[in-house]
């Protein structure tokens, strides 16, 4: 993966696959004949694959998946309007000593090593994109740690590719090529770093810098800062799964969101051995972890005083990250402009210290990991915390609907809840998800949260 300590090694077998660049047709008969002649000549001359890369994607519910293979050739590929059947290529993955076939769903030419999500994808270019079924059992790119994917995939062309007129474009071959790199859009734009606090405790982190800052770091232009707190499943030493296990970080760094709301995104990761000294046995409330987190945020803001808008610091988190939010807000009630805690739990008595902070919380009613009312380790869940906030003086606007609604319907319900909150002058919103409607696991309430533009737009509207 670019920027994630994976080696970039060209491993395509010599003479692996053959390709031919067919010049575009012209209106002149002589040019047409010349192009056809050149096409036939090129088809007789093997053209090796330049490189092969995996293209992965961070998904809302199914974590990090290998979704395509990008094959680069030494010449431009022009199919002249033709299509490549998925059966033209065979793809196999060898991970953990096991080799399994991947299902090819679409193949098309492109100018870059990236998936084209349009219904009619692709354009003439020097690459072929071989899309793979994300539902394959062997589609995963990580477990707790990233899987060893360097050179793990082999790709072989088993049928010729021709234009609709029958001209050869790419010849089938006997050899397979293997991937040299792993490309993960958006995630590859996060820089890796670490921070050691004044007590000597170290936190790894990933940092996304907005393009305007990268172009001119010295400019006096303040950007919001979004701090993401991962869940318990991402406690590790790899400094990557906190941004690949779900879209909590990616959603703020993806191009369309950065175009609307350019911001820094800071994503720390709790290390192993797992700290468990917190008052309720959790990680973000562990005294060492929380002290390092607070110092990391303060140091980052202090060293980027020209570039961080201190009135627009946001904290978002899921599961034990939600627990961390409630604790962090109570410890630093004058720092953050707003928060998105999902499937969290916390101290009801601490709610009186955060009644002024805009919060949009959500939780599945049937969550078995962090129960909706009871929470964990003797600390109550979101339902009880919202009641405590209201008792302390912060009106809470509540809504409940299915967590498997299509995006448009889901956002329409969120938009109506926000309208009600504004009418009631309420800055605390609470979405509950009806039992049996949260896909994969009732605990994964956050999948829709970070795909919900209404919620993310609301977050960026908040200022301290």
């Amino acid at each position: 993966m670019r920027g994630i300590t994976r080696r970039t090694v060209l491993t395509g077998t010599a003479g692996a696959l053959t390709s031919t660049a067919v010049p575009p047709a012209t209106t002149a008969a002589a040019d047409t004949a010349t192009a056809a002649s050149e096409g036939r000549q090129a088809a007789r001359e093997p053209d090796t694959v330049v490189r092969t890369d995996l293209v992965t994607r961070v998904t809302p519910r199914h974590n990090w998946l290998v979704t395509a293979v990008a094959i680069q050739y030494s010449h431009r590929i022009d199919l002249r309007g033709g299509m490549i059947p998925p059966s033209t290529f065979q793809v196999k993955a060898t991970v953990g000593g096991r080799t399994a076939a991947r299902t090819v769903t679409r193949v098309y030419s492109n100018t870059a090593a990236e998936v084209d999500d349009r219904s009619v994808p692709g354009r003439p270019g020097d690459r072929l994109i071989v899309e793979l079924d994300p539902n394959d059992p062997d589609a995963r790119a990580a477990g707790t740690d990233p899987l060893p994917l360097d050179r793990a995939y082999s790709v072989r062309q088993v049928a010729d590719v021709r234009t609709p007129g029958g001209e050869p474009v790419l010849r089938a071959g006997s050899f397979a090529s293997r991937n040299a790199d792993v490309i993960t859009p958006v995630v590859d734009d996060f820089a890796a770093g670490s921070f050691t606090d004044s007590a000597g405790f170290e936190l790894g982190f990933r940092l996304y810098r907005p393009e305007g800052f990268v172009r001119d770091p010295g400019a006096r232009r303040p950007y919001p800062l979004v701090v993401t707190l991962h869940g318990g499943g991402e406690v590790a030493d790899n400094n990557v799964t906190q941004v690949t296990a779900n879209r909590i970080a990616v959603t703020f760094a993806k191009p369309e969101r950065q175009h609307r709301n350019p911001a820094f995104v800071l994503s720390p990761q709790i290390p192993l051995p797992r700290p468990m000294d917190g008052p309720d046995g959790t990680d973000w409330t562990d005294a060492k972890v929380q002290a390092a987190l607070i110092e990391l945020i303060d140091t980052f803001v202090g060293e980027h005083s020209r570039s961080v808008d201190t009135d627009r610091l946001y904290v978002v988190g899921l599961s034990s990250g939600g627990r961390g939010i409630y604790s962090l807000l109570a410890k630093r009630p004058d720092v953050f402009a707003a928060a998105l805690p999902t499937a969290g739990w916390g101290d009801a008595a601490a709610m009186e210290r955060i009644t002024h902070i805009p919060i949009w919380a959500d939780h599945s009613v049937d969550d078995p990991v962090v129960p909706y009312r009871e929470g964990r380790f003797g600390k109550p869940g979101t339902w009880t915390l919202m009641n405590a906030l209201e008792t302390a003086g912060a009106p809470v606007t509540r809504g409940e609907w299915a967590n498997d609604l299509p995006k448009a319907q889901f956002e329409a319900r969120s938009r109506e809840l926000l309208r009600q909150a504004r009418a009631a002058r309420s800055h605390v919103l609470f979405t509950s998800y009806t039992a049996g409607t949260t896909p994969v696991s009732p605990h994964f309430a956050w999948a829709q949260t970070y795909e919900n533009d209404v919620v993310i737009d609301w977050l960026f509207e908040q200022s301290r």
Side-chain angles (χ1 to χ4, degrees), residues 42-65:
R44 291 193 295 269
E45 297 176 357
D47 178 25
T48 58
V49 171
V50 174
R51 65 180 296 116
T52 301
D53 297 310
L54 298 187
V55 181
T56 68
R57 177 175 292 184
V58 178
T59 65
R61 293 191 176 95
H62 300 286
N63 300 339
W64 191 15
L65 304 176

Side-chain angles (χ1 to χ4, degrees), residues 144-219:
T144 300
D145 293 307
L147 295 174
L149 295 178
D150 293 324
R151 300 174 301 283
Y153 273 61
S154 67
V155 186
R156 182 186 169 203
Q157 183 181 343
V158 295
D160 291 344
V161 174
R162 296 179 180 274
T163 67
E167 290 295 325
V169 179
L170 295 172
R171 269 192 326 188
S174 302
F175 300 101
S177 63
R178 288 191 175 271
N179 66 289
D181 204 353
V182 181
I183 300 169
T184 306
V186 183
V187 169
D188 289 341
D189 296 326
F190 280 78
S194 65
F195 174 75
T196 302
D197 72 1
S198 53
F201 188 82
E202 184 176 2
L203 282 180
F205 65 83
R206 289 272 164 177
L207 174 65
Y208 180 89
R209 301 176 178 92
E211 287 187 9
F213 174 82
V214 172
R215 287 194 302 267
D216 188 1

Side-chain angles (χ1 to χ4, degrees), residues 72-399:
Q72 183 179 5
Y73 297 87
S74 59
H75 295 92
R76 181 173 179 268
I77 300 165
D78 189 350
L79 300 173
R80 299 184 186 176
M83 305 290 289
I84 302 177
S87 58
T88 303
F89 287 88
Q90 291 180 348
V91 179
K92 295 181 179 179
T94 302
V95 180
R98 177 177 179 271
T99 299
R102 291 294 311 272
T103 305
V104 178
T105 57
R106 298 197 302 181
V107 183
Y108 48 88
S109 58
N110 210 347
T111 57
E114 58 188 25
V115 170
D116 187 341
D117 289 325
R118 296 177 299 175
S119 58
V120 181
R123 56 184 61 83
D126 64 349
R127 289 170 172 85
L128 281 188
I129 306 302
V130 181
E131 287 194 31
L132 306 173
D133 189 345
N135 297 311
D136 283 347
D138 297 279
R140 291 190 311 153
T144 300
D145 293 307
L147 295 174
L149 295 178
D150 293 324
R151 300 174 301 283
Y153 273 61
S154 67
V155 186
R156 182 186 169 203
Q157 183 181 343
V158 295
D160 291 344
V161 174
R162 296 179 180 274
T163 67
E167 290 295 325
V169 179
L170 295 172
R171 269 192 326 188
S174 302
F175 300 101
S177 63
R178 288 191 175 271
N179 66 289
D181 204 353
V182 181
I183 300 169
T184 306
V186 183
V187 169
D188 289 341
D189 296 326
F190 280 78
S194 65
F195 174 75
T196 302
D197 72 1
S198 53
F201 188 82
E202 184 176 2
L203 282 180
F205 65 83
R206 289 272 164 177
L207 174 65
Y208 180 89
R209 301 176 178 92
E211 287 187 9
F213 174 82
V214 172
R215 287 194 302 267
D216 188 1
R220 188 178 291 277
R221 179 186 175 182
Y223 297 92
L225 169 65
V226 181
V227 179
T228 71
L229 302 185
H230 63 72
E234 290 74 64
V235 176
D237 290 327
N238 54 53
N239 199 8
V240 62
T241 51
Q242 77 269 33
V243 293
T244 59
N246 47 64
R247 289 171 64 86
I248 187 173
V250 167
T251 196
F252 295 101
K254 62 186 181 181
E256 52 270 42
R257 176 51 63 181
Q258 282 286 319
H259 179 73
R260 293 166 67 174
N261 303 109
F264 290 98
V265 185
L266 179 62
S267 302
Q269 183 180 45
I270 298 171
L272 293 170
R274 191 176 191 126
M276 280 300 202
D277 297 333
D280 54 4
T282 63
D283 298 304
W284 290 111
T285 57
D286 175 276
K288 298 185 297 295
V289 171
Q290 192 169 80
L293 173 64
I294 291 171
E295 194 172 330
L296 166 62
I297 296 169
D298 289 347
T299 301
F300 181 83
V301 172
E303 292 187 358
H304 294 79
S305 59
R306 296 167 60 94
S307 303
V308 173
D309 185 346
T310 55
D311 287 329
R312 299 181 68 200
L313 271 56
Y314 309 117
V315 59
V316 303
L318 52 87
S319 191
S320 64
R323 167 60 177 130
I325 286 176
Y326 292 119
S327 177
L328 185 61
L329 294 182
K331 294 282 182 64
R332 302 295 296 276
D334 298 322
V335 171
F336 295 96
L340 297 179
T342 298
W345 70 101
D347 297 291
M351 295 301 101
E352 64 181 9
R353 297 197 290 274
I354 64 173
T355 56
H356 61 290
I357 301 175
I359 295 172
W360 196 325
D362 57 342
H363 208 135
S364 299
V365 170
D366 55 342
D367 188 337
V369 178
V370 181
Y372 175 74
R373 296 170 183 260
E374 295 82 8
R376 298 192 76 186
F377 306 113
K379 305 294 183 181
T382 308
W383 183 87
T384 307
L385 294 178
M386 293 299 104
N387 289 344
L389 260 178
E390 194 152 50
T391 299
V396 178
T397 304
R398 296 172 171 83

Side-chain angles (χ1 to χ4, degrees), residues 1-8 64 141 146-150 181-182:
M1 174 180 297
R2 295 172 182 171
I4 303 185
T5 65
R6 292 185 183 275
R7 292 179 300 165
T8 303
W64 191 15
L147 295 174
L149 295 178
D150 293 324
D181 204 353
V182 181

